[in-house]
Structures are given as C-alpha cells and as structure tokens.
Amino acid sequence: MAPLKRMIMHFDRCKHRVFYHRSHLVWVTKYRLKALVCDARLRVQEIVRRVYGENRVEIIKCVLCWDLVHVFGSIQPNLSVSDFNRNAKRCSSRKSEGSSRS
C-alpha cells in the first residue's frame, strides 16, 4: 500500500493575521453563449487578472471554457466573498463595455 501524500498548506499573512481562505468563483456568460473564443478569451483573462490584482486577491488557478470562467483564488479575510464577486463582475463588465465602444 502506497504512503499517503500530505498536502502542504501555505498560509497567507497580513499584519496581524494568518489565514487560509480559498474560494472557487464561477462566472457564466449570458444565456450560456459560447462567446469566450480567440481574442475575447484573451481579453477576459486580462480583465480578470487586472480586477483581481486591484482587489489584492491572489489567483491560484484560472480556467476559461467556452461559456464559463473558473477562478480559484485566495481572498483576504477582511473582504467578503459575495462583495468581492459583485464588485469584480461590476468592474469587469464596465471594462469590457468601454473596450468595445472605442
């Protein structure tokens, strides 16, 4: 019988906290349209990285499907997951609207 592998947990640190908060957020395109192809896929990935960076949320893994965006990230404990998700969707929709108009 093979020995069990131990999963090493990397704790994050702030001034007065040590935490391990991981969240899996999924964004779905409207009507599940298969819109995330070619240039749109790269643009969405760039927007997600920028929005997560502005909120100081570390992206552990980001996967884009044709109609889904899966992001697994580390969120600080002072930031609510639902507030962050709402803010990220709002910011990303504004960034994508502005880029399509110009």
Side-chain angles (χ1 to χ4, degrees):
M1 196 154 113
L4 294 174
K5 284 187 176 181
R6 290 188 164 226
M7 188 169 89
I8 299 172
M9 295 174 52
H10 297 285
F11 294 97
D12 298 318
R13 299 175 189 275
C14 286
K15 288 182 181 179
H16 302 288
R17 307 178 276 243
V18 177
F19 61 94
Y20 185 80
H21 289 177
R22 304 292 189 252
S23 295
H24 177 222
L25 302 175
V26 180
W27 299 352
V28 181
T29 58
K30 191 170 184 177
Y31 306 119
R32 300 288 295 241
L33 293 176
K34 304 210 182 307
L36 301 178
V37 293
C38 300
D39 293 337
R41 185 183 202 91
L42 296 174
R43 180 73 177 136
V44 167
Q45 196 169 27
E46 174 189 325
I47 290 171
V48 167
R49 286 201 173 120
R50 185 179 309 142
V51 169
Y52 274 60
E54 288 172 359
N55 289 296
R56 296 187 321 261
V57 176
E58 177 189 354
I59 296 175
I60 297 171
K61 182 129 180 149
C62 179
V63 177
L64 286 108
C65 300
W66 291 341
D67 58 349
L68 295 170
V69 178
H70 291 270
V71 183
F72 185 64
S74 173
I75 297 179
Q76 295 188 6
N78 62 344
L79 185 61
S80 165
V81 176
S82 61
D83 289 344
F84 167 72
N85 198 25
R86 182 176 50 249
N87 187 27
K89 284 183 177 184
R90 181 175 48 89
C91 291
S92 65
S93 70
R94 271 197 262 133
K95 289 180 190 302
S96 62
E97 283 176 4
S99 66
S100 64
R101 289 183 187 163
S102 50

